[in-house]
Amino acid sequence: MVNQERLITNFIKMIKVDSLSGQEEAFRDLLQSEFALLGLAAQEDDAGKILKGGSGNLLVKIPGTVARPALLFAAHMDTVIPGTNIEVIRDQNEVIRSAGDTILGSDDKAGVAAIFEALQVILENGLDHPPLELLFTVSEEQGLLGIKNFDFSKLAAEYGYVLDSGGAPGTIVIQSPCQNEIEYRVQGKSAHAGINPEDGINAIQIMARALAKMPCGRIDDETTCNFGIIKGGLARNIVPESCRVKGEARSLKRTKLDELTIALLDIFKTEVLKNGGNPEVETVLLYPETALQPDEEVVRLAVRAADKIGIKSELLSTGGGSDASIINGHNIRCANLGIGMNAVHTTDEFIRIEDLVNDARLVLSIIEEAARS
């Protein structure tokens, strides 16, 4: 019952509305107007004000026609750079991509479009459905900031789905990591690099020596860490008095994350002090781990729904976080669903029309199955 051409038209319309992280207001306006045409209100929260962005999160609540538990679907509104003035191409191989100088934005507008199409099918056909809660978040790409500033007391759902994973429709992410953001800072002493360098303490060199002793990359099959940003110094002829590195550590197991973080900090502090610098470290838990069991209803429902429409389901673990990480942390059992987006965050990003249609078909099938369960 999914209307393929309508879905494609709406998806392309969404793609053409710029919505970089923190600048989602035009896309918010589009969604509010589209839901209004269906007689529904998309309520905006205060996340935009808190984050000093252009829009807050949007929540749409639809009363159920059957007495079943409420069901949550979520996707994020923001996109990464380069993501403005996107030119959409639908090629002869039934693939949708950008012209090649920007991202496409299927991450995550394919998820938004699929949820919207499934809702349209339900309403126009008068299909039974449980109470539905549709959540569209902002600044997901900046560290899940929108969902972190959402008031979960507004939700009644005890389980739900985020449409924001790689993999074909039918992919169900049941395990994802917890992550620490770690900022390492070295304080040294400035001096003229040519006249009296011996009076300085080179913070960049000390940072380099510390990083060389610290683990980086793949630690084991469940754990990784990385150093991603380094800043320091004022000029080439000044001994740098400070240096800062932003990194991360993540693991599917909280105990492993804690152990790795302690090891990183201990090595860093020891090496910095040994080389004459002053170490400072700041650690922030960005999101908790997710561990769903295959026999949980949120997983079984998605598997049954996929089977019903002839889509092969696959339960996977991932090394990335998503809004589902925060939702699970608020005691709503939530699986992240694969939506067929490919080469995301690059100018080669694309999505197959078949996958886009199956995204909507799967959302619809989950809702129908939930109404019957």
Side-chain angles (χ1 to χ4, degrees):
M1 289 185 286
V2 168
N3 186 325
Q4 175 172 308
E5 290 307 312
R6 178 177 65 190
L7 171 58
I8 293 170
T9 297
N10 283 333
F11 175 59
I12 292 175
K13 182 194 299 184
M14 293 177 183
I15 290 296
K16 289 184 175 181
V17 177
D18 295 346
S19 60
L20 296 179
S21 299
Q23 304 171 38
E24 301 95 341
E25 58 271 19
F27 192 43
R28 170 205 62 199
D29 293 344
L30 173 65
L31 290 182
Q32 287 183 320
S33 64
E34 292 293 328
F35 279 110
L37 292 174
L38 300 179
L40 299 169
Q43 300 289 341
E44 181 180 2
D45 69 6
D46 292 331
K49 296 177 182 178
I50 296 170
L51 298 172
K52 301 187 186 319
S55 172
N57 303 303
L58 293 181
L59 176 62
V60 182
K61 303 186 78 166
I62 302 104
T65 62
V66 292
R68 297 289 186 271
L71 188 59
L72 171 68
F73 289 93
H76 65 86
M77 296 191 283
D78 61 313
T79 60
V80 300
I81 57 174
T84 59
N85 302 312
I86 298 172
E87 181 181 347
V88 182
I89 295 176
R90 177 180 179 179
D91 69 25
Q92 60 186 5
N93 295 317
E94 291 299 277
V95 168
I96 299 175
R97 63 179 76 250
S98 76
D101 54 353
T102 68
I103 60 161
L104 174 64
S106 58
D107 178 12
D108 190 25
K109 290 179 180 176
V112 177
I115 293 169
F116 189 73
E117 172 61 24
L119 179 62
Q120 285 182 292
V121 172
I122 287 170
L123 295 179
E124 69 189 6
N125 290 280
L127 302 179
D128 280 336
H129 59 85
L132 299 175
E133 298 177 330
L134 313 181
L135 179 60
F136 305 100
T137 63
V138 295
S139 292
E140 188 271 354
E141 300 288 6
Q142 300 301 306
L144 316 179
L145 296 182
I147 194 72
K148 286 179 179 178
N149 286 281
F150 178 71
D151 180 2
F152 278 85
S153 69
K154 295 180 179 180
L155 299 180
E158 296 181 359
Y159 59 96
Y161 304 91
V162 167
L163 277 73
D164 188 27
S165 179
T171 300
I172 306 168
V173 176
I174 63 171
Q175 192 172 26
S176 63
C178 44
Q179 180 182 354
N180 278 337
E181 178 183 75
I182 310 173
E183 182 170 312
Y184 309 89
R185 295 187 290 267
V186 173
Q187 188 67 34
K189 182 181 178 182
S190 64
H192 193 288
I195 297 175
N196 61 327
E198 62 276 358
D199 292 334
I201 299 175
N202 192 311
I204 292 177
Q205 184 181 49
I206 294 173
M207 178 69 80
R209 287 173 173 168
L211 295 179
K213 294 291 184 70
M214 298 161 69
C216 183
R218 172 68 63 184
I219 307 302
D220 59 35
D221 59 351
E222 297 180 316
T223 312
T224 63
C225 68
N226 187 54
F227 310 116
I229 301 173
I230 183 167
K231 292 184 179 180
L234 297 174
R236 60 173 178 77
N237 61 348
I238 301 175
V239 175
E241 69 174 358
S242 65
C243 185
R244 177 169 62 108
V245 166
K246 279 195 172 184
E248 65 161 57
R250 62 179 79 191
S251 181
L252 296 176
K253 300 281 178 58
R254 183 70 66 92
T255 54
K256 288 186 176 183
L257 176 65
D258 292 343
E259 290 170 0
L260 175 59
T261 300
I262 291 171
L264 287 165
L265 272 54
D266 284 348
I267 296 170
F268 173 73
K269 292 176 180 178
T270 298
E271 292 300 315
V272 172
L273 290 171
K274 184 171 70 175
N275 287 280
N278 181 35
E280 297 178 359
V281 183
E282 183 177 350
T283 302
V284 178
L285 178 66
L286 292 184
Y287 48 79
E289 67 277 18
T290 294
L292 302 175
Q293 301 305 312
D295 60 352
E296 287 189 55
E297 178 58 19
V298 65
V299 179
R300 293 169 55 235
L301 175 60
V303 170
R304 293 197 307 269
D307 289 345
K308 188 172 182 62
I309 59 175
I311 292 178
K312 180 182 177 181
S313 59
E314 183 177 13
L315 308 185
L316 292 181
S317 171
T318 181
S322 72
D323 282 348
S325 302
I326 306 301
I327 294 171
N328 275 289
H330 284 268
N331 297 316
I332 299 174
R333 305 304 279 166
C334 184
N336 194 3
L337 303 180
I339 59 174
M341 52 187 182
N342 291 275
V344 296
H345 294 197
T346 78
T347 56
D348 295 322
E349 183 184 358
F350 70 93
I351 188 169
R352 296 179 180 85
I353 289 176
E354 179 183 7
D355 287 339
L356 181 62
V357 171
N358 280 335
D359 292 337
R361 292 179 65 227
L362 182 56
V363 172
L364 181 61
S365 184
I366 289 173
I367 294 171
E368 291 182 310
E369 191 66 24
R372 286 191 290 264
S373 296

